[in-house]
Amino acid sequence: MTAASNDQFGFAPDDDVPIRYMQRTRDYYAAIGYTTPYRWAHYAEAPFQPLKKPLTQSRVALITTAAPFDPAKGDQGPGARYNGGAKFYAVYDGDTSRDHDLRISHIAYDRVHTKADDSGSWFPLPQLRRLANERRIGEVAPRFFGAPTNRSHRVTIDTDAPEILARCKADNVDAAVLVPNCPVCHQTISLVARHLEANGISTVVMGCAKDIVEHAAVPRFLFSDFPLGNSAGKPHDSASQAFTLELALRVLETAPGPQTTVQSPLRWSADAAWKRDYSNADALSAEELVRLRREFDAQKEIARGLRESAA
């Protein structure tokens, strides 16, 4: 009956909807043996700071969860397995006047449907510089900022978000574009956006995990229904990347109030089957679940050691 209705009316498949990452992640970790569900950040209201000046006169900062490449930290190349050893645990910044090699091997992006071989899909600094040259924005802030992906809400709220705010204030930032990658990245970036907005800096989040960002209640959100790791557009598709950033800036300019979400009209592909794969415990065998638990425990030990050495 459903299939006939789909054919008759041209309906999309029922599962061609934004992935429910919070539930998918809870189910995945429960399946590998972690019985305490993670508490995702949830707010009912969001702060909102209208732009204080036209975007053509504004200094815009870029905030990312990507990590600087470090050859001493193992495989971080395209298609690399999850590499907890490449994580960072303190806010960092970089000179926006030059190019940077930032990678996402340290986080849980979609490794099935994307290979992380084009940083333009997660770090739109070249596109932002282009828009400054074209006078679409006033200027790019002198530094971009790296936000540590942290499962601890308290560390993000009490330490990392205030540190990013202080650096933005020091650089006289008017607005910020924030680009997350993994599920927890979307939460981290949402908490940072809320903090910036509450302290006078207008923000827009560019992301792929709609449920997580809206659960945290951000001021402005551009949602791209793409696999995680592609918040800034499709890889090796400069037109997609330019369109995605331009649309984010329009949301920054025109949002009527807090908790404004705009969905990009771009589709990853005509076939939405990719949405069934990410952290889908139902598609994994018992043997795979056991292996994943061992790998996750090993990565936790690596991360614990890095946190302790960074403290």
Side-chain angles (χ1 to χ4, degrees):
M1 180 69 177
T2 301
S5 297
N6 287 346
D7 292 340
Q8 180 179 358
F9 298 114
F11 291 164
D14 288 343
D15 60 356
D16 189 2
V17 294
I19 295 173
R20 296 172 61 207
Y21 284 103
M22 290 188 295
Q23 189 61 52
R24 186 83 63 90
T25 303
R26 286 191 184 111
D27 292 345
Y28 174 83
Y29 284 111
I32 66 173
Y34 291 95
T35 56
T36 302
Y38 181 67
R39 172 81 186 275
W40 293 91
H42 185 206
Y43 294 95
E45 298 179 346
F48 188 74
Q49 172 61 60
L51 283 170
K52 296 177 180 177
K53 60 181 74 170
L55 202 53
T56 54
Q57 301 172 21
S58 297
R59 175 174 280 191
V60 181
L62 177 60
I63 300 170
T64 180
T65 57
F69 172 64
D70 183 342
K73 292 184 175 180
D75 187 4
Q76 298 148 71
R81 297 176 70 112
Y82 176 79
N83 180 0
K87 283 185 176 292
F88 61 98
Y89 294 93
V91 172
Y92 74 89
D93 57 51
D95 179 358
T96 58
S97 68
R98 63 180 186 85
D99 293 333
H100 296 263
D101 187 0
L102 299 189
R103 306 194 185 186
I104 56 174
S105 65
H106 64 296
I107 50 183
Y109 71 90
D110 187 331
R111 285 170 165 80
V112 175
H113 298 283
T114 189
K115 296 181 179 178
D117 57 359
D118 176 17
S119 63
S121 63
W122 67 79
F123 184 59
L125 178 58
Q127 291 286 353
L128 201 60
R129 287 198 305 240
R130 174 184 60 81
L131 293 178
N133 291 334
E134 295 174 1
R135 305 306 300 167
R136 176 68 177 88
I137 63 173
E139 60 182 325
V140 181
R143 297 181 290 177
F144 70 88
F145 305 109
T149 298
N150 205 315
R151 293 174 184 273
S152 167
H153 313 102
R154 183 173 300 281
V155 172
T156 299
I157 292 169
D158 292 349
T159 302
D160 297 335
E163 178 62 24
I164 292 173
L165 173 65
R167 298 189 195 199
C168 285
K169 292 287 190 181
D171 286 355
N172 296 314
V173 166
D174 299 302
V177 175
L178 301 94
V179 188
N181 295 289
C182 68
V184 175
C185 297
H186 281 75
Q187 175 178 262
T188 296
I189 283 295
S190 296
L191 295 174
V192 172
R194 290 177 55 87
H195 189 74
L196 295 180
E197 202 91 17
N199 288 277
I201 296 176
S202 305
T203 67
V204 60
V205 174
M206 301 167 63
C208 300
K210 186 173 186 284
D211 61 331
I212 295 171
V213 175
E214 291 187 336
H215 199 65
V218 302
R220 304 169 191 80
F221 176 39
L222 172 65
F223 169 57
S224 294
D225 199 3
F226 292 167
L228 294 174
N230 299 280
S231 292
K234 295 182 179 182
H236 308 293
D237 186 339
S238 59
S240 166
Q241 294 168 13
F243 178 84
T244 301
L245 181 56
E246 172 59 31
L247 190 53
L249 294 180
R250 292 183 194 175
V251 176
L252 183 59
E253 291 177 305
T254 64
Q259 295 177 269
T260 294
T261 296
V262 172
Q263 179 166 340
S264 170
L266 300 180
R267 285 179 63 86
W268 182 254
S269 67
D271 183 359
W274 64 268
K275 299 182 181 184
R276 302 174 194 137
D277 294 330
Y278 184 85
S279 292
N280 188 348
D282 293 338
L284 299 172
S285 67
E287 293 77 11
E288 287 175 308
L289 292 172
V290 171
R291 175 182 59 80
L292 289 167
R293 173 60 187 259
R294 286 199 302 264
E295 291 179 356
F296 186 78
D297 286 344
Q299 290 292 339
K300 279 179 64 179
E301 288 304 312
I302 292 172
R304 181 178 293 111
L306 288 171
R307 282 196 303 271
E308 290 173 354
S309 64

